[in-house]
Each structure stands twice: as structure tokens, then as C-alpha cells.
Amino acid sequence: MKKFKGGLFVKVLIAIACGALLGFIAPDWIVRIVKTFNVLFSQLLKFIVPLLVLGLVTPAIANVGRDAGKMLLSVLLIAYVSTICAGFFTHVSVSGLFPHYLNPGELSLDSASAKEFAPYFDIKIPPVCDILTALVLSFMIGVGIIFTGSCSLKKGFAEFGEIVKLTINKVIIPLLPWYIFSMMCEMSAKGVLSVILSAGFKIILTGIVLSIIYLVFQYCIAGAVAGKNPFKCLWNMLTAYLTAFSVCSSSAVIPVTSECTRKNGVSEDIVNFTIPLCSTVHMCGSTIKLAASAIAVAYLSGIDVTFGMYASFVMLQGIAAVAAPGVMGGVLMASVGLLESVLGFGPDQTALVMMLYLALDGYGPACNVTGDGAIALVIEKLFGKK
């Protein structure tokens, strides 16, 4: 897997196929070896996620600065509102859709195979703090840096963030396909694979449709504010959508997104300011993908997620998503801790969400960058002449 040069999406597909096949034919002792890796990697994830938030969210807050302009604050506010609205839109939509084609509790402990596979050993790697503590601490330190002007502390957290990003890019992301492989192997050996694959296709298709509908909503609102035809503006962003769908990255397609946004009549200064900033803070598509996967896994696993729990998850996830820039799968990595601490997921449910999120990664970034163009239209109307 390390020598294979395909993208993460291709590696995940290979991991799913190989894990499913091995689970059918492997003896129990091999499955237990695979389970041991699964448990150890889960511990590593729990350890790294709070550090990711501390190392990346803190500098992001500190960089806003005390004298941040109205345009910067407006972009941040609109991006955050758009991100959390995407989460609530997904909740309302799938709450009515999933009962029609998913079976509640199908993956619960009562419904799953009685056969369980214990790891050969389990090493605990306790995190420095939980995800909520990390978020609060990031805000406290970030705001403190702004008002005290502590350059050394700001530089220290920025350098710490680079170390965390290096760990994510060089350790966590390369091991993710193996993690998916181990999970699929165990699911196959337990006899619940058919449920996972059948439900997964429906969940991913639902997420794609919802992301497109949400883009239409965004451009209808932006078109009304800017006084432009929303469907023509959305059509002009098609190249950016398809490019991001292919490369699975918001940041990598900034030049394409910028060019498409200029076609909608947005000035050069607004484009150069808004598009790079939104690529790091506007995660509406990734939120739709994550929310749909999480709600589906909870529904299939028989986990009761109240609206209050889900609202807390969405609002905190919108903040944690700021930690995503520069890290492949960053929104997912920053939200893993919230799945367990807020929604009450266990390691198995979290692994399923990760598999569904990564199985077709492109439509999240595609929605993100296309939505960036809608925000640019609004900012152009508000600040373009200034």
C-alpha cells in the first residue's frame, strides 16, 4: 500500500475489497491479528486529534488579529453559518429519507453476529485532553495571543501545528487504508458485510444529492443578494466542481475556483481575498458528507442521537473544521473525537463513519469550492465598491 501511487480514494477501494475477501477466507487467528492493528490505530487517532485542534485552530484564531477588518469577519461569519446550516439541512433531510431505505438497528449488537474477535493485546494511549477541552483551550490561547501580542507563543503554536500536520500526512493518512482494511476484514468475518456495502451505496448517493441541492440553495440566496441569475452563476462554477471532485481537495483547486468566480463578475481583489480564505474555513460539503455518514451509522447501530446532541456536534464540528487546511481528510480527522465525545460513538461506529466518508471523498470538496463562489458573490455586493 505504501508503494502504490494511487490516490487515497483508490487505496480505500482496494482496502475495502481486500479486507472483505480476507474476512471470508481467513482463520480466526489472522482476523485477531488484524483486529489488534485496528485497536492500536484507534488509540493513536484518539491521541492525535486533540493535538491537531490545539496545533492548527490556535494559530488560525491568533492570525485573525485584533484589527481584523469587516470583510475578514464577514467572510468568517458567513462561512461558519453556511457550514453549520449544511449540517442542519442534512439532519432534516436524512431524518425523513433514511427510514425509507435503511433498516434501524441493523448493525446493533443484538443484530450482529455473536462471533467476536478479541485483539491479542491492547495498548492504551490516553490523549492529552479530550476534544472539547482542546477546542476551549485553543480559543483561550488564540484570543490571549491576539490581546497580549505574544509573538513567541504564536510562533511556537504555529511550529507545533506543522509537526502535527507532518504526523497526519506521514503517519495517519498512509495508515488509514490499512485501518479500513482491518475494519472490513472483521465485518466480513462477522457476517455483516452485505449490510455495510448495501447501506454504504445508498448513504453516499444521498450525500451527493443533498450537496447539489444545498448548492442550489446557496446560489439562490447569493444571487438574490448580488442581483444575479443564480443558475448561470452556478453553471459558471462547474469546472471548479468537477476539478475538486477529481482531486479531492479544496486548496489544490484555488486557481480554478478563482477563475470560475471571476466569470460571475466578482472583482479581482475580492476573488484573491475570499477564495483562498474560504478554502480553509468553508466546509459545507464536507459537513454534509460527515453528517450523513454519522446519522446513518447511528441509525443502523441503534444509537439514539437526540437533536440537542446533534446540534452540539454540528456547531463544534464547524469550528473544528478550521483545522482542516493543509491536511488530507482534515475535516474527518478533526471530527473523530466529536463523534465519540458528543454523539457517543464507539470505535466500531467511528471506523464505519470514516469508511463512508473516505469511500467517495470528492463530492465534499467539490461542494466546498463551489460554495466558496457563492460567498464571493455576497462579499462582492457588500464590499466590492469599497
Side-chain angles (χ1 to χ4, degrees), residues 74-106:
S74 297
V75 172
L76 294 175
L77 179 61
I78 293 172
Y80 179 70
V81 170
S82 174
T83 298
I84 63 173
C85 284
F88 288 116
F89 164 73
T90 304
H91 182 272
V92 172
S93 301
V94 301
S95 295
L97 292 172
F98 283 164
H100 293 289
Y101 46 81
L102 295 181
N103 299 319
E106 196 168 11

Side-chain angles (χ1 to χ4, degrees), residues 195-218:
V195 176
I196 298 296
L197 295 181
S198 174
F201 174 78
K202 299 171 185 176
I203 296 165
I204 292 171
L205 185 60
T206 300
I208 294 174
V209 173
L210 291 180
S211 67
I212 294 174
I213 294 174
Y214 190 71
L215 285 175
V216 174
F217 288 158
Q218 280 185 319

Side-chain angles (χ1 to χ4, degrees), residues 36 40 56 66 80 84 116 122 137 162 192 273 297 300 302:
T36 302
L40 293 176
L56 299 185
R66 186 185 300 185
Y80 179 70
I84 63 173
E116 295 292 335
D122 183 5
L137 190 58
E162 292 300 317
V192 296
F273 177 84
V297 169
L300 290 169

Side-chain angles (χ1 to χ4, degrees), residues 212-213 215-224 228-238 264 370 377:
I212 294 174
I213 294 174
L215 285 175
V216 174
F217 288 158
Q218 280 185 319
Y219 274 84
C220 285
I221 296 173
K228 297 187 177 183
N229 185 330
F231 297 101
K232 182 179 179 180
C233 292
L234 185 56
W235 176 259
N236 288 337
M237 298 296 298
L238 181 62
N264 287 330
T370 308
L377 286 171

Side-chain angles (χ1 to χ4, degrees), residues 38 42 179-180 183 346-356:
N38 184 291
S42 297
Y179 185 49
I180 300 298
M183 183 197 64
D348 291 341
Q349 286 79 35
T350 300
L352 280 176
V353 172
M354 295 176 70
M355 185 198 73
L356 292 171

